[in-house]
């Protein structure tokens, strides 16, 4: 995707939103959401390539596959929480956006629990020899 | 990859038409019909938006290994 196309899309969307904002604020807000979704789906096709690269590197380095899966899931959760929080913040609901972000952080922590447990077990084994 | 930007113009067009209808109906003194026109326009746009949100979430699921 050409960078100029992305910038053009963003500028056109902002002009249309400005046009609609006075008469129909709700439809203008939906227009903002659609623009965000389009830009993100452009992102996604690139991120797919990057994740394939990470998996390839992990395979070459002999890293355990479950750890890589957890890392990629953490990136995904952070991404989704960010999308939700920014859209809600655009609607002017700061408190709900903050809760969405906090929930995202907690879910990431939950995903990290098994890895943390294996780390602790490794350390304990190391000292008990 | 080519993205379809026509949905942006479609939504903006629906918004402008609904705003016009709202103004005309209000001038005619039909306040409640004006409200209904706004509501129906909003619902039509909402269908577009929900479809594209579902598409994006499906894409995120497939990219980030959330099986489902």
């Amino acid at each position: 995707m050409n960078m100029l196309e992305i910038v053009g899309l963003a500028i056109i969307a902002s002009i249309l939103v400005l046009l609609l904002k006075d008469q129909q604020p709700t439809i203008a807000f939906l227009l903002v959401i659609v623009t965000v979704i389009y830009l993100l789906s452009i992102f996604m096709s690139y991120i797919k390539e990057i994740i394939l690269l990470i998996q390839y590197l992990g395979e070459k380095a002999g890293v355990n596959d479950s750890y890589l899966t957890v890392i990629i899931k953490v990136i995904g959760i952070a991404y989704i929480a960010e999308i939700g929080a920014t859209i809600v913040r655009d609607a002017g609901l700061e408190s709900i956006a903050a809760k969405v972000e906090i929930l995202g952080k907690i879910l990431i922590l939950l995903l990290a629990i098994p890895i943390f447990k294996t780390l602790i077990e490794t350390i304990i084994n190391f000292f008990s020899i | 990859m080519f993205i379809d930007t026509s949905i942006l113009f479609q939504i903006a067009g629906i918004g402008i038409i609904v705003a016009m209808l709202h103004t005309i109906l209000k001038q005619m003194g039909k306040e409640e019909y004006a409200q209904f026109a706004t509501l129906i326009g909003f619902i039509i746009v909402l269908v577009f938006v929900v479809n594209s949100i579902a598409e994006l979430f499906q894409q995120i699921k497939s990219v980030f290994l959330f099986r489902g």
Side-chain angles (χ1 to χ4, degrees):
Chain A
M1 170 63 63
N2 198 343
M3 193 63 213
L4 286 174
E5 270 176 70
I6 294 172
V7 174
L9 178 69
I11 291 173
I12 288 170
S14 46
I15 289 169
L16 290 176
V17 168
L18 279 181
L19 189 69
L20 276 177
K21 211 168 204 169
D22 288 332
Q23 281 109 17
Q24 299 284 330
T26 46
I27 293 181
F29 177 63
L30 289 179
L31 200 60
V32 172
I33 293 179
V34 168
T35 316
V36 168
I37 286 167
Y38 263 125
L39 291 177
L40 279 171
S41 46
I42 297 167
F43 262 50
M44 277 301 147
S45 53
Y46 291 129
I47 282 176
K48 203 169 197 169
E49 302 282 319
I50 296 169
I51 282 177
L52 283 179
L53 172 73
I54 292 173
Q55 276 175 337
Y56 171 77
L57 285 176
E59 208 174 276
K60 289 285 173 195
V63 179
N64 192 343
D65 198 43
S66 59
Y67 296 152
L68 269 183
T69 310
V70 169
I71 290 173
I72 292 169
K73 268 191 184 175
V74 165
I75 298 172
I77 288 175
Y79 220 148
I80 296 171
E82 180 73 26
I83 295 166
T86 47
I87 286 177
V88 174
R89 191 168 287 142
D90 271 350
L93 304 168
E94 185 65 40
S95 51
I96 296 179
K99 267 68 195 174
V100 170
E101 279 178 346
I102 291 172
L103 270 175
K105 282 167 193 164
I106 289 172
L107 278 179
I108 289 172
L109 213 63
L110 269 180
L111 269 182
I113 284 175
I115 293 182
F116 194 67
K117 271 185 183 165
T118 45
L119 175 69
I120 296 290
E121 277 165 15
T122 317
I123 293 172
I124 289 172
N125 281 339
F126 190 69
F127 281 117
S128 63
I129 287 171
Chain B
M1 194 183 87
F2 176 74
I3 54 160
D4 192 19
T5 52
S6 64
I7 191 168
L8 284 179
F9 292 103
Q10 275 176 21
I11 291 175
I14 291 172
I16 291 169
I17 288 169
V18 166
M20 239 164 64
L21 271 178
H22 188 88
T23 320
I24 291 169
L25 285 171
K26 216 173 186 180
Q27 290 283 323
M28 285 167 70
K30 311 247 187 224
E31 195 76 38
E32 64 275 12
Y33 286 116
Q35 288 299 329
F36 273 122
T38 311
L39 185 65
I40 289 170
F42 176 71
I43 289 170
I44 293 170
V45 177
L46 195 63
V47 170
F48 284 133
V49 174
V50 167
N51 275 334
S52 50
I53 287 180
E55 216 169 276
L56 175 75
F57 279 2
Q58 216 58 46
Q59 214 175 352
I60 291 176
K61 265 187 191 173
S62 69
V63 168
F64 290 107
L65 299 175
F66 295 94
R67 337 195 187 301

